Amino acid sequence: MILFPAIDLKNGQCVRLEQGDMARATVFNLDPAAQAQSFVAQGFEYLHVVDLDGAFAGKPVNAQAVEAMLKTIKIPVQLGGGIRDLATVEAWLAKGITRVIIGTAAVRDPELVKVASKKFPGRVAVGLDARDGKVAVEGWAETSEVTVLEIAQRFEDAGVAAIIFTDIARDGLLKGLNLDATIALADAISIPVIASGGLASIEDVKAMLTPRAKKLAGAIAGRALYDGRLDPSAALTLIRNARAAA
């Protein structure tokens, strides 16, 4: 299991939203590259970045901040937000992003995911963000009529590296991961699933390491790290010990 620290970008700054609401943003760091370096220093091995402005605009907006991060850190980075066409996928991968996350376009243009996954094996993930089980798009501003499982099943044979499943109702509120829904999704598909939204404490990390969650590929931690509710050292030690015992 990989624990991904999250950097959400808005106006070039590192923020956290509550339930995906841009009006409820807390700025945690004015310098995303410094924040990325801090996560590397804490021992994290993979970074999760979202261009929030890009998710609304439908194209990359915080490219400068992302590029600054890529210059300063050596660990892999997965990036989502505003990736709606093959040219954008190619551009980010060429700049050094390890894995792109396609969200809105996975609902609107499933063919893009299939083409990109075929062209760049192992480097395309799908971000599925659910509000009451239905997938939300356009930076979560709209809710579609399709369920997470329906979308996920479309990509079963496409070569998608992972599905990042976010429960919007919990995101940024520190209520704990929605493990029941996440595990149900992981059990229903063969694509690796990463849990996101609401990770609150070391208890969530422990829950991710229980036998029932063994199919999950990882979890994303945001506000709990910034608020100091989750001790990075303790969390990463737990995960390392679990790996060693496996």
Side-chain angles (χ1 to χ4, degrees), residues 5-244:
I7 291 183
D8 288 357
L9 299 169
K10 181 175 187 275
N11 303 329
Q13 300 170 337
C14 180
V15 305
R16 294 304 295 166
L17 304 185
E18 291 181 13
Q19 296 181 312
D21 185 346
M22 288 290 253
R24 292 154 73 193
T26 309
V27 176
F28 280 104
N29 199 323
L30 300 177
D31 184 346
Q35 184 62 59
Q37 280 175 305
S38 166
F39 283 141
V40 173
Q42 287 165 8
F44 288 100
E45 55 196 27
Y46 210 130
L47 188 61
H48 174 81
V49 180
V50 179
D51 179 350
L52 293 172
D53 300 304
F56 282 91
K59 60 182 192 292
V61 175
N62 286 287
Q64 207 175 341
V66 176
E67 287 165 26
M69 280 190 258
L70 291 172
K71 283 192 183 83
T72 53
I73 62 169
K74 293 287 178 274
I75 63 168
V77 177
Q78 63 180 20
L79 172 73
I83 301 171
R84 308 274 167 91
D85 55 48
L86 197 58
T88 307
V89 171
E90 290 174 339
W92 277 127
L93 294 179
K95 282 176 179 170
I97 291 292
T98 303
R99 185 158 73 190
V100 293
I101 304 161
I102 299 176
T104 295
V107 180
R108 302 257 199 261
D109 181 13
E111 201 54 34
L112 169 65
V113 174
K114 293 173 182 173
V115 170
S117 299
K118 193 171 181 182
K119 191 167 184 183
F120 303 105
R123 301 189 69 188
V124 177
V126 169
L128 296 180
D129 310 318
R131 189 180 278 118
D132 303 323
K134 298 285 176 69
V135 176
V137 292
E138 305 293 345
W140 300 356
E142 297 176 27
T143 305
S144 70
E145 286 307 307
V146 282
T147 66
V148 169
L149 183 57
E150 283 171 315
I151 300 277
Q153 285 173 331
R154 289 179 190 171
F155 303 120
E156 271 289 42
D157 302 316
V160 169
I163 286 191
I164 296 159
F165 172 65
T166 305
D167 183 342
I168 295 172
R170 293 170 185 245
D171 192 63
L173 298 185
L174 300 162
K175 289 182 171 178
L177 291 167
N178 185 347
L179 271 190
D180 291 342
T182 311
I183 290 167
L185 176 65
D187 284 341
I189 59 175
S190 59
I191 306 164
V193 175
I194 295 167
S196 167
L199 193 146
S201 69
I202 199 81
E203 296 309 314
D204 280 308
V205 178
K206 287 177 183 169
M208 288 286 302
L209 297 169
T210 57
R212 80 182 189 113
K214 69 179 181 295
K215 279 191 76 175
L216 299 184
I220 292 165
R223 191 175 284 270
L225 287 172
Y226 293 101
D227 281 357
R229 291 166 198 249
L230 180 64
D231 175 351
S233 174
L236 292 169
T237 299
L238 265 183
I239 292 165
R240 272 196 299 273
N241 291 346
R243 276 186 201 157

